[in-house]
């Protein structure tokens, strides 16, 4: 008998999350310097000046436990979203909120629904809870939203045992999205015994007018949960902070499984300040919009195609083994993200960087394609 046999059955067969390769690791392994990472959808500008100042002001107090209620940040989020503080649950990244949702609402007798090619964390939290996952087929490869969420297919997977339905909008790793009217109709049609979790990790990057913002629907649907993060457009991925907006009764249940001090004091201070730093957000989003078109044009010039994306990344069809292209780019000091683990062995997910990083990525991609 091995020690792994002692673990809970669902954990024994759990496939761990595979993160983007860290820069230090690449440089250690390949003996190179000046590499760039476009693998985890981080903001290439990092944190804004106001977040940095808040961290510097707070750092002397890290000997103390953080405010476990996150009062200041919740007050700021309450103003931003026009919801009561009782509707807000803070997480150590929005990943933490996803874990809390599974812990609070799933058991081995119950079920969750998500789509093929969904964010990799959904299957992990569902399986760790021992619940049954029902995976809806995604839209086909040749579609206006290739590999995107098929709302009818998702609805068809809901049973009386369903407690959670996960939808990322825009979705990672595809970059695809669902329109406001269709998504709201979907939410309206989910039965009351299931919570619909709309994960809006990338919503700040969505600039198209009239696009979905599920946070504005909360007063209409008691079973709606919206998750947001400071890891992407706000540039605070390393601090780990995100949150959920929900009915107060849902937030109450999440709070019962939440670790008392799940969000650290630097993250609380930085996130509160980041909400005020409109200029950093504006600059980040504008650079992303320009970068998306730079990358899309560059990829097309190499004879490859990108899926449509409203996030800060594109999914590129390399038309060959994505792993080989990934390796070829690594050797040139450019880290992108292979997505074979998502069932997309020919694709690479590439984060939009600064203009210079995008240019370097494109030339590394071009060379990697020639290597074969
Ligand atoms: C990056 C990402 C998150 C954010 O995770 P954090 O834990 O907040 O860093 C959540 N959902 C999706 C779909 C993501 O891509």
């Amino acid at each position: 008998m091995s020690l792994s046999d002692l673990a809970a059955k669902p954990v024994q067969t759990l496939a761990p999350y595979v993160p983007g390769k860290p820069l230090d690791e690449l440089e250690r392994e390949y003996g190179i310097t000046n590499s760039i990472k476009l693998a985890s959808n981080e903001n290439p500008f990092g944190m804004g000046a106001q977040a940095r100042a808040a961290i510097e002001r707070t750092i002397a107090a890290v000997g103390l436990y953080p405010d476990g209620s996150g009062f200041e940040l919740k007050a700021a989020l309450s103003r931003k979203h026009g919801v009561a503080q009782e509707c807000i649950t803070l997480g150590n990244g929005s990943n933490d909120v996803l874990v809390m949702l599974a812990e609070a609402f799933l058991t081995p007798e119950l079920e969750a629904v998500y789509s093929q090619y969904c964010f990799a964390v959904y299957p992990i939290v569902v399986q760790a809870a021992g619940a049954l996952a029902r995976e809806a087929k995604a839209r086909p490869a040749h579609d206006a939203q290739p590999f995107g969420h098929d709302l009818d297919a998702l609805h068809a997977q809901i049973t009386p045992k369903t407690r959670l339905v996960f939808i990322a909008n825009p979705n990672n790793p595809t970059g695809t999205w669902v329109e406001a009217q269709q998504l709201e109709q979907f939410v309206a049609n989910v039965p009351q015994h299931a919570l619909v979790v709309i994960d809006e990790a990338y919503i700040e990057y969505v600039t198209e007018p009239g696009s979905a913002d599920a946070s504005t629907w909360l007063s209409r649907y008691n079973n709606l949960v919206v998750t947001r993060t400071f890891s992407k457009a706000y540039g605070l991925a390393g601090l780990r902070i995100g949150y959920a907006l929900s009915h107060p009764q849902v937030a109450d249940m999440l709070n019962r499984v939440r670790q008392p001090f799940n969000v650290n004091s630097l993250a609380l201070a930085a996130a509160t300040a980041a909400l005020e730093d409109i200029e950093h957000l504006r600059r980040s989003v504008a650079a992303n919009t320009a970068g998306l078109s730079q990358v899309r044009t560059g990829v097309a010039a190499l004879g490859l195609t990108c899926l449509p994306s409203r996030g800060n990344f594109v999914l590129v069809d390399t038309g060959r083994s994505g792993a080989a292209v990934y390796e070829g780019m690594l050797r040139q000091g450019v880290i992108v993200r292979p997505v074979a683990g998502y069932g997309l062995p020919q694709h690479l997910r590439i984060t939009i960087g600064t203009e210079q990083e995008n240019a370097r990525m494109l030339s590394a991609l071009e060379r990697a394609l020639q290597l074969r």
Side-chain angles (χ1 to χ4, degrees):
M1 188 172 111
S2 78
L3 290 170
S4 33
D5 295 329
L6 301 177
K9 272 271 144 18
V11 175
Q12 290 181 29
T13 57
L14 198 55
Y17 181 83
V18 184
K21 196 178 190 64
L23 284 167
D24 291 350
E25 185 179 305
L26 172 74
E27 300 197 343
R28 225 170 28 239
E29 286 174 5
Y30 288 66
I32 52 180
T33 52
N34 286 321
S35 45
I36 59 170
K37 182 184 177 209
L38 300 173
S40 302
N41 301 344
E42 293 134 331
N43 182 334
F45 302 136
M47 66 184 162
Q50 297 199 33
R52 180 188 287 272
I55 291 166
E56 284 164 358
R57 278 197 306 274
T58 313
I59 203 153
V62 297
L64 303 175
Y65 278 104
D67 171 9
S69 71
F71 180 83
E72 292 285 343
L73 177 56
K74 278 193 191 171
L77 289 170
S78 163
R79 288 192 295 274
K80 171 181 163 77
H81 293 291
V83 300
Q85 292 197 35
E86 294 68 42
C87 300
I88 303 169
T89 307
L90 302 180
N92 187 31
S94 54
N95 193 323
D96 187 30
V97 174
L98 299 172
V99 172
M100 286 188 255
L101 281 162
E103 286 178 349
F105 291 93
L106 295 177
T107 69
E109 293 75 42
L110 296 170
E111 302 177 1
V113 173
Y114 49 69
S115 178
Q116 196 182 5
Y117 313 121
C118 68
F119 182 41
V121 169
Y122 310 153
I124 293 174
V125 301
V126 173
Q127 189 173 333
L132 179 75
R134 292 194 184 270
E135 185 179 281
K137 269 195 95 62
R139 305 191 71 88
H142 300 285
D143 188 275
Q145 298 290 328
F147 307 119
H149 286 356
D150 180 333
L151 295 176
D152 293 332
L154 280 158
H155 188 85
Q157 294 297 331
I158 298 174
T159 77
K161 294 182 175 175
T162 307
R163 291 294 176 273
L164 297 175
V165 180
F166 293 98
I167 293 181
N169 193 42
N171 184 49
N172 169 18
T174 57
T176 55
W177 62 92
V178 283
E179 296 295 353
Q181 201 193 338
Q182 282 84 348
L183 186 58
E184 186 174 358
Q185 195 57 55
F186 175 87
V187 173
N189 288 337
V190 171
Q192 281 295 311
H193 66 262
L195 301 180
V196 201
V197 182
I198 311 272
D199 179 341
E200 297 187 331
Y202 299 98
I203 194 164
E204 293 83 6
Y205 290 114
V206 182
T207 53
E208 288 73 8
S211 52
D213 176 354
S215 73
T216 63
W217 309 337
L218 284 160
S219 59
R220 272 173 263 166
Y221 308 102
N222 287 345
N223 58 341
L224 174 62
V225 181
V226 177
T227 64
R228 297 281 185 103
T229 183
F230 287 93
S231 298
K232 306 289 159 60
Y234 288 102
L236 299 176
L239 282 178
R240 314 302 304 124
I241 180 157
Y243 60 98
L245 303 172
S246 69
H247 189 280
Q249 286 170 10
V250 171
D252 179 22
M253 294 300 127
L254 298 180
N255 197 47
R256 294 177 193 206
V257 296
R258 185 178 66 82
Q259 289 181 35
F261 302 104
N262 64 327
V263 181
N264 72 76
S265 45
L266 299 182
L268 288 171
T272 309
L275 287 174
E276 301 278 303
D277 200 342
I278 316 271
E279 180 47 30
H280 183 64
L281 187 64
R282 193 204 55 74
R283 172 171 174 251
S284 301
V285 172
N288 185 65
T289 304
L292 271 173
S293 93
Q294 179 192 4
V295 169
R296 184 175 300 288
T297 306
V299 166
L302 300 176
L304 306 182
T305 53
C306 290
L307 268 65
S309 173
R310 284 189 177 174
N312 65 339
F313 59 91
V314 286
L315 193 62
V316 177
D317 185 353
T318 67
R320 67 209 78 191
S321 159
V325 180
Y326 168 67
E327 259 303 315
M329 294 177 79
L330 277 187
R331 276 184 263 138
Q332 301 171 72
V334 178
I335 312 175
V336 297
R337 187 67 157 271
V339 282
Y342 284 87
L344 297 164
Q346 297 207 357
H347 290 76
L348 293 173
R349 195 194 66 197
I350 303 178
T351 303
I352 304 303
T354 61
E355 188 179 350
Q356 292 81 351
E357 288 171 335
N358 298 334
R360 181 160 163 207
M361 179 280 291
L362 287 166
S363 63
L365 175 59
E366 180 173 21
R367 278 197 56 194
L369 291 170
Q370 290 158 357
L371 293 171
R372 312 281 249 122

